[in-house]
Amino acid sequence: MNSTISIEIAAPPELVFRLARDIERWPRLLPHYVSVRVLSRRPDGRTTVRMIARRPLLGLVGFGLPVVWRARTWAEPANLRLRFRHLGGVTAGMDVTWRIEPTGGGCHVAIEHVFRRRLPIPVLGKLLGDEVLPAFVDRFFTRPIAQRTLATFATLAEATAPAVARADTSDQRPDAYPIA
């Protein structure tokens, strides 16, 4: 299963990349992320994390289902990409790529999920193939969480862009932008 969601953001692509690549801050920036805990850091810049997000079920009353996964993540600053490889749980093996592309009015951000996995029940898995579980996970978990993530980053980047345009942008640390 290949699934892509995207959004147009009226902010510089470098700002969006700097916000999104700082995954340790996601729980402070994204209200649906409960926790991002670093499990290990490799010398090549790859980080293994445990992430917990809340998938809204009854949005009006604030009820959400916690979704937990482990992933190895890394940034590719030269081409404004973020990469995630899910390591465990139902989504083990999922490859996620964030692509941030400049446009005339800001940037286009696309998140692509590539996932193939059979149901972990031998008879049903063999009968239904590699697409049923990924389609279910995409429809009911991946899309709702990723869409909310993109929408929140769009709001943050668009609100922050004017202040960043006036600030010194030579500081490339991920936390060197004016967001609490």
Side-chain angles (χ1 to χ4, degrees), residues 54-66 148:
R54 198 174 300 109
R55 194 289 191 209
L57 293 177
L58 300 172
L60 296 176
V61 295
F63 179 73
L65 180 67
R148 191 166 181 197

Side-chain angles (χ1 to χ4, degrees), residues 109-126:
V109 182
I111 304 176
E112 178 188 27
H113 296 86
V114 178
F115 184 41
R116 298 219 183 318
R117 184 157 184 208
R118 288 190 176 178
L119 287 168
I121 304 166
V123 174
L124 281 178
K126 193 171 187 175

Side-chain angles (χ1 to χ4, degrees), residues 11-180:
E14 296 80 10
L15 171 61
V16 175
F17 179 76
R18 289 170 71 185
L19 284 166
R21 80 171 179 191
D22 192 4
I23 62 170
E24 290 179 62
R25 289 185 67 193
W26 283 20
R28 290 194 340 213
L29 301 175
L30 305 168
H32 57 293
Y33 268 79
V34 176
S35 171
V36 173
R37 186 171 53 124
V38 173
L39 302 175
S40 68
R41 294 182 199 278
R42 292 174 41 173
D44 65 2
R46 294 172 190 238
T47 304
T48 301
V49 294
R50 179 176 180 262
M51 303 177 98
I52 304 174
R54 198 174 300 109
R55 194 289 191 209
L57 293 177
L58 300 172
L60 296 176
V61 295
F63 179 73
L65 180 67
V67 180
V68 181
W69 68 97
R70 280 184 311 116
R72 180 165 295 118
T73 181
W74 63 97
E76 299 172 358
N79 56 10
L80 300 178
R81 302 278 191 271
L82 296 173
R83 301 292 310 274
F84 298 82
R85 172 85 173 163
H86 289 224
L87 302 174
V90 173
T91 59
M94 180 184 285
D95 279 312
V96 182
T97 303
W98 286 54
R99 290 180 173 81
I100 304 170
E101 305 286 343
T103 64
C107 62
H108 176 84
V109 182
I111 304 176
E112 178 188 27
H113 296 86
V114 178
F115 184 41
R116 298 219 183 318
R117 184 157 184 208
R118 288 190 176 178
L119 287 168
I121 304 166
V123 174
L124 281 178
K126 193 171 187 175
L127 178 67
L128 297 175
D130 295 343
E131 294 296 324
V132 172
L133 179 62
F136 177 82
V137 168
D138 183 61
R139 169 70 176 88
F140 293 104
F141 296 96
T142 303
R143 279 187 174 274
I145 292 170
Q147 286 171 333
R148 191 166 181 197
T149 299
L150 284 178
T152 304
F153 275 130
T155 299
L156 289 170
E158 290 171 356
T160 306
V164 170
R166 292 188 302 271
D168 174 13
T169 58
S170 62
D171 189 346
Q172 292 299 308
R173 290 174 299 133
D175 60 348
Y177 43 79
I179 292 184

